[in-house]
Amino acid sequence: MPYVKSVETAKRINFLASSKVQAFSYQVSDEGVSANEKGRKIVKAGTILPANDATAQGILYTDVDVTEGPQPGSLIVEAYILEARLPEAVTTEAKTVLTKITFR
């Protein structure tokens, strides 16, 4: 008898305005991340890290599951970004320090 299970597809919104992106590896923290309805702690792509303020270093490229603790992710440091498609509005402090990211 075959083993059958339902397949869940990811729904991602493209927030990149250009294919030219510079990203570096980054350790995504699990602190302050709430679990979703399935008990998983997911940091969404497009999140400003480490915080959406003057400490911002970049924008998370893809979703990262931090349920089991801090995990490696990819942090965008230079790109053209469609600001309206990000999961939360970018603060003016974050825009000030993210000098190589152009928001459209």
Side-chain angles (χ1 to χ4, degrees), residues 74-96:
S74 184
L75 197 67
I76 299 170
V77 295
E78 187 174 345
Y80 287 93
I81 301 292
L82 299 171
E83 184 177 1
R85 294 186 181 178
L86 293 176
E88 68 176 85
V90 184
T91 63
T92 54
E93 295 88 8
K95 285 183 182 179
T96 303

Side-chain angles (χ1 to χ4, degrees), residues 22-26 47 49 57-61 73-77:
Q22 182 68 49
F24 295 102
S25 58
Y26 182 83
T47 302
L49 293 176
Q57 295 178 10
I59 299 173
L60 193 60
Y61 206 159
S74 184
L75 197 67
I76 299 170
V77 295

Side-chain angles (χ1 to χ4, degrees), residues 3 5 11 13-14 16 19 25-26 31 40 51-52 57 59 61-63 66-67 69-70 74 76 85 97-98 100 102:
Y3 176 76
K5 68 175 185 173
K11 292 182 173 106
I13 296 175
N14 181 20
L16 298 174
S19 63
S25 58
Y26 182 83
E31 291 183 26
R40 307 301 298 174
N52 192 359
Q57 295 178 10
I59 299 173
Y61 206 159
T62 58
D63 291 352
V66 294
T67 305
S74 184
I76 299 170
R85 294 186 181 178
V97 295
L98 298 173
K100 294 190 178 187
T102 303

Side-chain angles (χ1 to χ4, degrees), residues 18 23 35 37 47 56 58 87 89 99 104:
S18 170
E37 63 278 354
T47 302
T99 57
R104 292 182 170 231

